[in-house]
Coordinates of all heavy atoms in Angstrom, one line a residue:
Q1 N -194.9 97.2 95.2 CA -194.1 97.4 96.5 C -193.0 96.3 96.5 O -193.1 95.3 95.8 CB -195.1 97.1 97.6 CG -195.7 95.8 97.7 CD -196.7 95.6 98.8 OE1 -196.8 96.5 99.6 NE2 -197.4 94.5 98.9
P2 N -192.0 96.6 97.2 CA -190.9 95.6 97.2 C -191.3 94.3 97.8 O -192.1 94.3 98.8 CB -189.8 96.3 98.1 CG -190.2 97.7 98.1 CD -191.6 97.8 97.9
A3 N -190.9 93.2 97.2 CA -191.2 91.9 97.8 C -190.4 91.7 99.1 O -189.3 92.1 99.2 CB -190.9 90.8 96.8
P4 N -191.0 91.0 100.1 CA -190.3 90.7 101.3 C -189.1 89.9 101.1 O -189.1 89.0 100.2 CB -191.3 90.0 102.1 CG -192.7 90.2 101.5 CD -192.4 90.5 100.1
P5 N -188.0 90.2 101.8 CA -186.8 89.4 101.6 C -187.0 87.9 101.7 O -186.4 87.1 101.0 CB -185.8 89.9 102.7 CG -186.3 91.3 102.9 CD -187.8 91.3 102.7
A6 N -187.9 87.5 102.6 CA -188.1 86.0 102.8 C -188.6 85.4 101.5 O -188.2 84.3 101.1 CB -189.1 85.8 103.9
N7 N -189.5 86.0 100.8 CA -190.1 85.5 99.6 C -189.0 85.5 98.5 O -188.9 84.5 97.7 CB -191.2 86.3 99.1 CG -192.5 86.2 99.9 OD1 -192.5 85.3 100.8 ND2 -193.4 87.0 99.7
L8 N -188.2 86.5 98.4 CA -187.1 86.5 97.5 C -186.0 85.5 97.7 O -185.5 84.8 96.8 CB -186.4 87.9 97.4 CG -187.4 89.0 96.9 CD1 -186.8 90.4 97.2 CD2 -187.6 88.9 95.4
L9 N -185.7 85.3 99.0 CA -184.7 84.2 99.3 C -185.3 82.8 98.9 O -184.6 82.0 98.4 CB -184.4 84.2 100.8 CG -183.6 85.4 101.3 CD1 -183.4 85.3 102.9 CD2 -182.2 85.5 100.7
R10 N -186.6 82.6 99.2 CA -187.2 81.3 98.9 C -187.2 81.1 97.4 O -186.8 80.0 96.9 CB -188.6 81.3 99.4 CG -189.3 80.0 99.3 CD -190.7 80.0 99.9 NE -190.6 80.1 101.4 CZ -191.0 81.2 102.0 NH1 -191.5 82.2 101.4 NH2 -190.9 81.3 103.4
Q11 N -187.6 82.1 96.6 CA -187.6 82.0 95.2 C -186.2 81.8 94.6 O -186.0 81.0 93.6 CB -188.3 83.2 94.6 CG -189.8 83.3 94.9 CD -190.4 84.6 94.5 OE1 -189.8 85.4 93.8 NE2 -191.6 84.8 94.9
A12 N -185.2 82.5 95.1 CA -183.9 82.4 94.6 C -183.4 81.0 94.9 O -182.7 80.3 94.0 CB -182.9 83.4 95.3
Y13 N -183.7 80.4 96.1 CA -183.2 79.1 96.4 C -183.9 78.1 95.5 O -183.2 77.1 95.0 CB -183.6 78.8 97.9 CG -183.1 77.5 98.4 CD1 -181.8 77.4 98.9 CD2 -183.8 76.3 98.3 CE1 -181.3 76.2 99.4 CE2 -183.4 75.1 98.7 CZ -182.1 75.0 99.3 OH -181.6 73.8 99.7
V14 N -185.2 78.2 95.2 CA -185.9 77.3 94.3 C -185.2 77.4 92.9 O -185.0 76.3 92.3 CB -187.4 77.6 94.3 CG1 -188.1 76.8 93.1 CG2 -188.0 77.2 95.6
A15 N -185.0 78.6 92.4 CA -184.4 78.7 91.1 C -183.0 78.0 91.0 O -182.7 77.4 90.1 CB -184.2 80.2 90.8
L16 N -182.2 78.1 92.1 CA -180.9 77.4 92.1 C -181.1 75.9 92.2 O -180.3 75.2 91.7 CB -180.1 78.0 93.3 CG -179.5 79.4 93.1 CD1 -178.9 79.8 94.4 CD2 -178.6 79.5 92.0
S17 N -182.1 75.5 93.0 CA -182.3 74.1 93.2 C -182.7 73.3 92.0 O -182.3 72.1 91.8 CB -183.3 73.8 94.3 OG -184.6 74.1 93.9
V18 N -183.4 73.9 91.1 CA -183.8 73.2 89.8 C -182.8 73.4 88.7 O -182.9 72.7 87.7 CB -185.2 73.7 89.3 CG1 -186.3 73.4 90.4 CG2 -185.2 75.1 88.9
A19 N -181.8 74.2 88.9 CA -180.7 74.3 87.9 C -180.0 73.0 87.9 O -179.7 72.4 88.9 CB -179.7 75.5 88.2
D20 N -179.6 72.5 86.7 CA -179.1 71.2 86.5 C -177.6 71.0 86.7 O -177.1 70.0 87.1 CB -179.5 70.6 85.1 CG -179.2 69.2 85.0 OD1 -179.3 68.4 86.0 OD2 -178.8 68.8 83.9
H21 N -176.9 72.1 86.4 CA -175.4 72.0 86.4 C -174.8 72.3 87.7 O -175.4 73.1 88.5 CB -174.8 72.8 85.3 CG -175.3 72.3 83.9 ND1 -174.7 71.2 83.3 CD2 -176.4 72.7 83.1 CE1 -175.4 71.0 82.2 NE2 -176.4 71.8 82.1
D22 N -173.7 71.8 88.1 CA -173.1 71.9 89.4 C -172.2 73.2 89.5 O -172.1 73.7 90.6 CB -172.2 70.7 89.7 CG -171.6 70.8 91.1 OD1 -172.4 71.2 92.0 OD2 -170.5 70.4 91.3
Y23 N -171.6 73.6 88.4 CA -170.8 74.8 88.5 C -169.6 74.7 89.5 O -169.3 75.6 90.2 CB -171.6 76.1 88.8 CG -172.7 76.3 87.7 CD1 -174.0 75.9 88.0 CD2 -172.4 77.0 86.6 CE1 -175.0 76.1 87.0 CE2 -173.4 77.2 85.6 CZ -174.7 76.8 85.9 OH -175.7 77.0 85.0
K24 N -169.0 73.5 89.5 CA -167.9 73.2 90.4 C -168.2 73.5 91.8 O -167.3 73.9 92.6 CB -166.6 73.9 89.9 CG -166.1 73.5 88.6 CD -164.8 74.1 88.2 CE -164.4 73.7 86.8 NZ -163.2 74.3 86.4
G25 N -169.4 73.2 92.3 CA -169.8 73.4 93.6 C -170.3 74.8 94.0 O -170.8 75.0 95.1
H26 N -170.1 75.8 93.2 CA -170.5 77.1 93.5 C -172.0 77.3 93.6 O -172.5 78.1 94.5 CB -169.9 78.1 92.6 CG -168.4 78.2 92.6 ND1 -167.7 78.7 93.7 CD2 -167.5 77.6 91.8 CE1 -166.4 78.6 93.5 NE2 -166.2 77.9 92.4
R27 N -172.8 76.6 92.8 CA -174.3 76.7 92.9 C -174.7 76.2 94.2 O -175.5 76.8 95.0 CB -174.9 75.9 91.8 CG -176.4 75.9 91.8 CD -177.0 75.0 90.8 NE -176.6 73.6 91.0 CZ -177.3 72.7 91.8 NH1 -178.4 73.1 92.4 NH2 -176.9 71.5 91.9
V28 N -174.1 75.0 94.6 CA -174.5 74.4 95.9 C -174.0 75.3 97.1 O -174.8 75.5 98.1 CB -173.9 73.0 96.0 CG1 -174.1 72.4 97.4 CG2 -174.5 72.1 95.0
E29 N -172.9 75.9 97.0 CA -172.4 76.8 98.0 C -173.3 78.0 98.1 O -173.6 78.5 99.2 CB -170.9 77.3 97.8 CG -170.4 78.1 98.9 CD -170.4 77.4 100.2 OE1 -170.2 76.2 100.3 OE2 -170.5 78.2 101.2
A30 N -173.8 78.6 97.0 CA -174.7 79.7 97.0 C -176.0 79.3 97.8 O -176.5 80.0 98.6 CB -175.0 80.2 95.6
M31 N -176.5 78.0 97.5 CA -177.7 77.5 98.2 C -177.4 77.4 99.7 O -178.3 77.8 100.5 CB -178.1 76.2 97.6 CG -178.6 76.3 96.2 SD -178.8 74.7 95.4 CE -180.2 74.0 96.4
K32 N -176.3 77.0 100.1 CA -176.0 76.9 101.5 C -176.0 78.2 102.2 O -176.4 78.4 103.3 CB -174.6 76.2 101.7 CG -174.6 74.7 101.4 CD -173.2 74.1 101.6 CE -173.2 72.6 101.2 NZ -171.9 72.1 101.3
Q33 N -175.4 79.3 101.5 CA -175.4 80.6 102.0 C -176.9 81.1 102.2 O -177.2 81.8 103.2 CB -174.6 81.5 101.2 CG -173.1 81.2 101.2 CD -172.5 81.3 102.6 OE1 -172.9 82.2 103.4 NE2 -171.5 80.5 102.8
I34 N -177.7 80.8 101.2 CA -179.1 81.3 101.3 C -179.8 80.5 102.4 O -180.6 81.1 103.2 CB -179.9 81.0 100.0 CG1 -179.3 81.9 98.9 CG2 -181.4 81.3 100.1 CD1 -179.8 81.5 97.5
E35 N -179.5 79.2 102.6 CA -180.1 78.5 103.7 C -179.6 79.1 105.1 O -180.4 79.2 106.0 CB -179.6 77.0 103.7 CG -180.2 76.2 102.6 CD -179.6 74.8 102.6 OE1 -178.8 74.4 103.4 OE2 -180.0 74.0 101.7
A36 N -178.4 79.5 105.2 CA -177.9 80.1 106.4 C -178.6 81.4 106.7 O -179.0 81.7 107.8 CB -176.4 80.3 106.3
A37 N -178.8 82.2 105.7 CA -179.5 83.5 105.9 C -180.9 83.2 106.3 O -181.5 83.9 107.2 CB -179.5 84.3 104.6
A38 N -181.6 82.3 105.6 CA -183.0 81.9 106.0 C -183.1 81.4 107.4 O -184.0 81.7 108.1 CB -183.5 80.9 104.9
K39 N -182.1 80.6 107.8 CA -182.2 80.0 109.2 C -182.1 81.2 110.2 O -182.8 81.2 111.2 CB -181.0 79.1 109.4 CG -181.0 78.4 110.7 CD -179.9 77.4 110.8 CE -179.9 76.7 112.2 NZ -178.8 75.8 112.3
L40 N -181.2 82.2 109.9 CA -181.1 83.3 110.8 C -182.5 84.1 110.9 O -182.8 84.7 111.9 CB -180.0 84.2 110.4 CG -178.6 83.6 110.6 CD1 -177.6 84.5 110.0 CD2 -178.3 83.5 112.1
L41 N -183.2 84.1 109.7 CA -184.4 84.8 109.6 C -185.6 83.9 110.0 O -186.8 84.4 110.0 CB -184.6 85.4 108.2 CG -183.6 86.4 107.8 CD1 -183.7 86.6 106.3 CD2 -183.8 87.7 108.5
R42 N -185.3 82.7 110.4 CA -186.3 81.7 110.8 C -187.4 81.4 109.7 O -188.6 81.5 110.0 CB -187.0 82.1 112.1 CG -186.0 82.1 113.2 CD -186.7 82.3 114.6 NE -185.7 82.2 115.6 CZ -185.5 83.0 116.6 NH1 -186.3 84.0 116.7 NH2 -184.6 82.8 117.5
I43 N -186.9 81.2 108.5 CA -187.8 80.9 107.4 C -187.4 79.6 106.7 O -186.2 79.3 106.7 CB -187.9 82.0 106.3 CG1 -186.6 82.4 105.7 CG2 -188.6 83.2 106.9 CD1 -186.6 83.3 104.6
D44 N -188.3 78.8 106.2 CA -188.0 77.6 105.5 C -188.0 77.8 104.0 O -189.0 78.3 103.5 CB -189.1 76.5 105.9 CG -188.8 75.2 105.2 OD1 -187.7 74.9 105.0 OD2 -189.8 74.4 105.0
I45 N -186.9 77.4 103.4 CA -186.8 77.7 101.9 C -186.5 76.5 101.1 O -186.4 76.6 99.9 CB -185.7 78.7 101.7 CG1 -184.4 78.3 102.4 CG2 -186.1 80.1 102.1 CD1 -183.2 78.5 101.6
R46 N -186.4 75.3 101.7 CA -186.0 74.1 100.9 C -187.0 73.8 99.8 O -188.2 73.8 100.0 CB -185.9 72.9 101.9 CG -184.7 73.2 102.8 CD -184.1 71.9 103.2 NE -182.7 72.2 103.5 CZ -181.8 71.4 103.1 NH1 -182.1 70.3 102.5 NH2 -180.5 71.6 103.3

């Protein structure tokens, strides 16, 4: 069955957070966008 979006957002955030390279700020910006989506959905992903 499809995984709930909340779980996928959390897992994507974790995968990005452990990546070591900065990618000129784009990795961090992607994390901020995931945080914003999670906040709207009222889930904790840090």
